[in-house]
Protein backbone atom coordinates (compact mmCIF):
# COMPACT_ATOMS: atom_id res chain seq x y z
CA UNK A 1 0.00 0.00 0.00
CA UNK A 2 2.88 2.40 0.79
CA UNK A 3 4.38 2.03 -2.68
CA UNK A 4 0.95 2.67 -4.25
CA UNK A 5 0.52 5.84 -2.22
CA UNK A 6 3.99 7.04 -3.25
CA UNK A 7 3.12 6.43 -6.91
CA UNK A 8 -0.16 8.34 -6.55
CA UNK A 9 1.73 11.26 -5.00
CA UNK A 10 4.42 11.21 -7.70
CA UNK A 11 1.82 11.15 -10.48
CA UNK A 12 0.10 14.10 -8.81
CA UNK A 13 3.41 15.95 -8.45
CA UNK A 14 4.17 15.46 -12.16
CA UNK A 15 0.71 16.81 -13.07
CA UNK A 16 1.05 19.85 -10.81
CA UNK A 17 4.58 20.65 -12.02
CA UNK A 18 3.51 20.30 -15.66
CA UNK A 19 0.50 22.55 -15.06
CA UNK A 20 1.95 25.20 -12.72
CA UNK A 21 5.73 24.89 -12.80
CA UNK A 22 8.08 24.48 -9.86
CA UNK A 23 8.61 28.01 -8.58
CA UNK A 24 6.15 28.67 -5.80
CA UNK A 25 5.06 25.04 -5.77
CA UNK A 26 3.58 24.08 -2.41
CA UNK A 27 3.42 20.59 -0.93
CA UNK A 28 -0.22 21.25 -0.08
CA UNK A 29 -1.01 21.56 -3.82
CA UNK A 30 0.52 18.14 -4.50
CA UNK A 31 -1.35 16.64 -1.54
CA UNK A 32 -4.67 18.08 -2.78
CA UNK A 33 -4.02 16.78 -6.32
CA UNK A 34 -3.18 13.32 -4.94
CA UNK A 35 -6.15 13.31 -2.55
CA UNK A 36 -3.95 12.72 0.48
CA UNK A 37 -2.88 14.73 3.51
CA UNK A 38 0.14 17.01 3.47
CA UNK A 39 1.50 14.98 6.40
CA UNK A 40 1.43 11.83 4.28
CA UNK A 41 3.42 13.56 1.52
CA UNK A 42 6.04 14.60 4.08
CA UNK A 43 6.02 11.10 5.55
CA UNK A 44 6.96 9.56 2.19
CA UNK A 45 9.26 12.28 0.82
CA UNK A 46 10.61 14.20 3.83
CA UNK A 47 10.57 17.68 2.22
CA UNK A 48 9.91 19.65 -0.96
CA UNK A 49 13.39 18.87 -2.34
CA UNK A 50 12.76 15.16 -1.79
CA UNK A 51 9.50 15.37 -3.73
CA UNK A 52 11.19 17.18 -6.63
CA UNK A 53 14.04 14.66 -6.81
CA UNK A 54 11.72 11.66 -6.72
CA UNK A 55 9.38 13.27 -9.27
CA UNK A 56 12.34 13.75 -11.60
CA UNK A 57 13.19 10.05 -11.22
CA UNK A 58 9.53 9.14 -11.76
CA UNK A 59 9.18 11.09 -15.01
CA UNK A 60 12.53 9.75 -16.26
CA UNK A 61 11.41 6.17 -15.58
CA UNK A 62 8.01 6.78 -17.15
CA UNK A 63 9.62 8.27 -20.28
CA UNK A 64 11.89 5.23 -20.44
CA UNK A 65 8.84 2.99 -20.50
CA UNK A 66 7.00 4.75 -23.29
CA UNK A 67 10.09 5.39 -25.45
CA UNK A 68 11.19 1.75 -25.46
CA UNK A 69 8.17 0.99 -27.61
CA UNK A 70 6.44 -1.27 -25.10
CA UNK A 71 3.60 1.21 -25.01
CA UNK A 72 3.06 0.82 -28.76
CA UNK A 73 3.71 -2.87 -29.32
CA UNK A 74 7.46 -2.65 -29.77
CA UNK A 75 9.34 -5.87 -30.03
CA UNK A 76 12.48 -7.58 -31.26
CA UNK A 77 13.67 -7.43 -34.84
CA UNK A 78 14.32 -3.68 -35.10
CA UNK A 79 17.71 -2.48 -36.27
CA UNK A 80 19.70 -0.17 -33.95
CA UNK A 81 18.83 2.76 -36.23
CA UNK A 82 15.13 1.92 -35.99
CA UNK A 83 15.48 1.69 -32.20
CA UNK A 84 17.15 5.11 -32.13
CA UNK A 85 14.48 6.74 -34.28
CA UNK A 86 11.66 5.06 -32.39
CA UNK A 87 12.93 6.04 -28.95
CA UNK A 88 13.35 9.70 -29.95
CA UNK A 89 10.17 10.00 -32.00
CA UNK A 90 8.05 8.45 -29.24
CA UNK A 91 8.73 11.64 -27.27
CA UNK A 92 6.27 13.29 -29.69
CA UNK A 93 2.93 11.63 -28.95
CA UNK A 94 -0.39 13.33 -28.45
CA UNK A 95 -1.02 11.48 -25.21
CA UNK A 96 -1.60 13.23 -21.86
CA UNK A 97 1.14 11.18 -20.17
CA UNK A 98 3.75 12.21 -22.78
CA UNK A 99 2.74 15.87 -22.81
CA UNK A 100 2.75 15.94 -19.01
CA UNK A 101 6.14 14.23 -18.78
CA UNK A 102 7.80 16.51 -21.33
CA UNK A 103 6.35 19.65 -19.76
CA UNK A 104 7.36 18.60 -16.23
CA UNK A 105 10.88 17.72 -17.45
CA UNK A 106 11.18 21.19 -19.00
CA UNK A 107 9.98 22.86 -15.80
CA UNK A 108 12.42 20.88 -13.66
CA UNK A 109 15.27 21.63 -16.09
CA UNK A 110 14.50 25.37 -15.97
CA UNK A 111 14.36 25.34 -12.16
CA UNK A 112 17.71 23.50 -11.95
CA UNK A 113 19.37 26.68 -13.27
CA UNK A 114 18.74 28.22 -9.85
CA UNK A 115 18.72 25.09 -7.66
CA UNK A 116 22.09 23.30 -7.27
CA UNK A 117 20.55 20.25 -5.56
CA UNK A 118 18.02 19.75 -8.33
CA UNK A 119 20.77 20.40 -10.89
CA UNK A 120 22.71 17.44 -9.52
CA UNK A 121 19.70 15.10 -9.76
CA UNK A 122 18.94 16.36 -13.27
CA UNK A 123 22.56 15.77 -14.32
CA UNK A 124 22.33 12.15 -13.14
CA UNK A 125 19.11 11.54 -15.12
CA UNK A 126 20.66 13.25 -18.14
CA UNK A 127 23.77 11.06 -17.97
CA UNK A 128 21.63 7.92 -17.99
CA UNK A 129 19.76 9.17 -21.06
CA UNK A 130 23.00 10.14 -22.84
CA UNK A 131 24.47 6.73 -21.98
CA UNK A 132 21.50 4.89 -23.47
CA UNK A 133 21.64 6.91 -26.70
CA UNK A 134 25.43 6.55 -26.91
CA UNK A 135 25.03 2.78 -26.61
CA UNK A 136 22.45 2.70 -29.41
CA UNK A 137 24.60 4.94 -31.63
CA UNK A 138 27.54 2.63 -30.92
CA UNK A 139 25.52 -0.32 -32.20
CA UNK A 140 24.88 1.60 -35.43
CA UNK A 141 28.54 2.63 -35.88
CA UNK A 142 30.50 -0.03 -33.98
CA UNK A 143 33.95 1.40 -34.65
CA UNK A 144 33.11 5.02 -33.83
CA UNK A 145 35.09 6.81 -31.15
CA UNK A 146 33.33 6.97 -27.75
CA UNK A 147 33.72 10.76 -27.55
CA UNK A 148 32.13 11.20 -31.00
CA UNK A 149 29.21 8.93 -30.04
CA UNK A 150 28.64 10.83 -26.80
CA UNK A 151 28.76 14.19 -28.60
CA UNK A 152 26.16 12.93 -31.09
CA UNK A 153 23.95 11.74 -28.23
CA UNK A 154 24.26 15.14 -26.54
CA UNK A 155 23.31 17.00 -29.73
CA UNK A 156 20.34 14.69 -30.31
CA UNK A 157 19.01 15.20 -26.77
CA UNK A 158 19.43 18.96 -27.11
CA UNK A 159 17.54 18.90 -30.42
CA UNK A 160 14.81 16.75 -28.88
CA UNK A 161 14.37 19.02 -25.87
CA UNK A 162 14.18 22.13 -28.06
CA UNK A 163 11.75 20.59 -30.53
CA UNK A 164 9.65 19.18 -27.71
CA UNK A 165 9.25 22.61 -26.10
CA UNK A 166 8.28 24.13 -29.45
CA UNK A 167 5.74 21.37 -30.05
CA UNK A 168 4.27 21.66 -26.55
CA UNK A 169 4.04 25.45 -27.00
CA UNK A 170 2.22 24.83 -30.30
CA UNK A 171 4.92 26.64 -32.26
CA UNK A 172 5.39 23.45 -34.30
CA UNK A 173 2.85 20.82 -35.33
CA UNK A 174 3.72 17.37 -34.01
CA UNK A 175 4.31 15.92 -37.49
CA UNK A 176 6.74 18.70 -38.37
CA UNK A 177 8.58 18.29 -35.04
CA UNK A 178 8.95 14.56 -35.80
CA UNK A 179 10.25 15.33 -39.32
CA UNK A 180 12.82 17.75 -37.89
CA UNK A 181 13.89 15.12 -35.36
CA UNK A 182 14.31 12.55 -38.16
CA UNK A 183 16.46 15.10 -39.97
CA UNK A 184 18.62 15.66 -36.87
CA UNK A 185 19.12 11.90 -36.55
CA UNK A 186 20.13 11.63 -40.22
CA UNK A 187 22.61 14.52 -39.81
CA UNK A 188 24.20 12.92 -36.74
CA UNK A 189 24.52 9.50 -38.36
CA UNK A 190 26.05 11.07 -41.49
CA UNK A 191 28.46 13.02 -39.28
CA UNK A 192 29.52 9.81 -37.52
CA UNK A 193 30.06 8.13 -40.92
CA UNK A 194 32.27 11.03 -42.07
CA UNK A 195 34.22 10.83 -38.80
CA UNK A 196 34.83 7.10 -39.38
CA UNK A 197 36.02 7.69 -42.96
CA UNK A 198 38.42 10.40 -41.76
CA UNK A 199 40.18 7.84 -39.57
CA UNK A 200 40.31 5.05 -42.22
Amino acid sequence: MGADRRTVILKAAARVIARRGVRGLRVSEIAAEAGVSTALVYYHFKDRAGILHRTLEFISDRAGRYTTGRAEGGGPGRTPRQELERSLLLEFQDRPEVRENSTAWGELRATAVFDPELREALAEAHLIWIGELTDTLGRIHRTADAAALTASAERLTAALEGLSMRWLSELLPMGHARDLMRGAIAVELAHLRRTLRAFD
Side-chain angles (χ1 to χ4, degrees), residues 68-166:
T68 59
R70 286 194 295 264
E72 291 192 3
R78 290 192 301 267
T79 66
R81 176 165 182 158
Q82 289 169 330
E83 286 178 26
L84 176 69
E85 284 192 357
R86 187 173 181 84
S87 70
L88 294 174
L89 294 177
L90 283 173
E91 291 282 358
F92 302 97
Q93 298 181 65
D94 200 12
R95 294 171 45 200
E97 175 185 70
V98 177
R99 285 180 168 274
E100 181 182 284
N101 241 41
S102 295
T103 305
W105 177 267
E107 290 292 337
L108 289 163
R109 191 175 64 242
T111 302
V113 172
F114 308 102
D115 184 335
E117 283 184 38
L118 188 56
R119 194 179 312 147
E120 191 175 309
L122 189 71
E124 288 173 20
H126 186 70
L127 281 175
I128 292 167
W129 191 21
I130 293 292
E132 290 169 355
L133 282 181
T134 299
D135 178 62
T136 304
L137 288 164
R139 288 187 288 120
I140 297 169
H141 291 297
R142 294 186 182 279
T143 58
D145 176 74
L149 293 169
T150 301
S152 282
E154 289 171 341
R155 285 189 293 269
L156 286 171
T157 57
L160 175 64
E161 288 173 341
L163 290 170
S164 180
M165 285 300 109
R166 290 182 183 196

Side-chain angles (χ1 to χ4, degrees), residues 176-188:
H176 188 49
R178 282 177 157 233
D179 288 342
L180 291 171
M181 193 69 238
R182 282 188 193 95
I185 293 166
V187 166
E188 285 304 325

